[in-house]
């Protein structure tokens, strides 16, 4: 089982590195292999991270809001992981569907 997982990870890494985006190419589209890696490996992991960070913030919500860091914590621990999981095209790790940057720190940090 470990050998199979290593093969899958090595193949995914090879596909991601071989289909790198050039800065001058505005019409770049993710390859089919990169989309598969995103769907099979990245999205499930990012979903579990989004669930874990949301539950963590839920558990810490009272102290976080009492010290005045509620909105920045909500942005970083809930919005960012869920947007990374759901609001970007399949196989594209650099852009969201609404052309917002991947991570933007709140102004009041």
């Amino acid at each position: 089982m470990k050998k199979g997982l290593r093969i899958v990870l090595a193949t995914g890494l090879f596909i991601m590195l071989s289909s790198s985006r050039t800065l001058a190419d505005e019409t770049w589209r993710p390859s089919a292999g990169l989309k598969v890696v995103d769907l099979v490996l990245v999205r499930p992991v990012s979903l579990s991270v989004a669930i874990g960070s949301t539950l963590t913030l839920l558990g810490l919500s009272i102290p976080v809001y009492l010290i005045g860091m509620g909105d920045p914590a909500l942005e970083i621990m809930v919005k960012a992981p869920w947007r990374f999981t759901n609001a970007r095209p399949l196989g594209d790790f650099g852009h969201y569907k609404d052309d917002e940057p991947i991570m933007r720190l709140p102004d009041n940090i």
Side-chain angles (χ1 to χ4, degrees):
M1 175 129 176
K2 286 185 179 182
K3 185 177 181 180
L5 182 60
R6 286 181 186 163
I7 291 172
V8 168
L9 290 175
T11 304
L13 183 62
F14 174 75
I15 291 169
M16 285 192 307
L17 292 176
S18 66
S19 62
S20 63
R21 178 188 322 198
T22 60
L23 294 175
D25 186 13
E26 295 294 326
T27 61
W28 178 84
R29 299 275 185 226
S31 66
L34 195 57
K35 289 180 180 182
V36 168
V37 169
D38 188 16
L39 184 65
V40 173
L41 294 175
V42 176
R43 299 270 173 149
V45 170
S46 65
L47 178 64
S48 63
V49 167
I51 291 170
S53 66
T54 301
L55 292 175
T56 301
L57 182 63
L58 189 61
L60 297 173
S61 61
I62 293 174
V64 167
Y65 278 95
L66 287 176
I67 64 171
M69 295 300 291
D71 290 335
L74 187 68
E75 179 86 19
I76 292 169
M77 294 185 71
V78 177
K79 186 178 177 185
W82 284 105
R83 279 180 50 91
F84 185 78
T85 302
N86 298 318
R88 59 183 176 79
L90 194 61
D92 190 355
F93 300 101
H95 297 90
Y96 286 127
K97 293 176 184 174
D98 59 0
D99 291 329
E100 290 288 321
I102 289 294
M103 184 64 188
R104 185 182 75 238
L105 291 177
D107 296 331
N108 58 349
I109 287 185

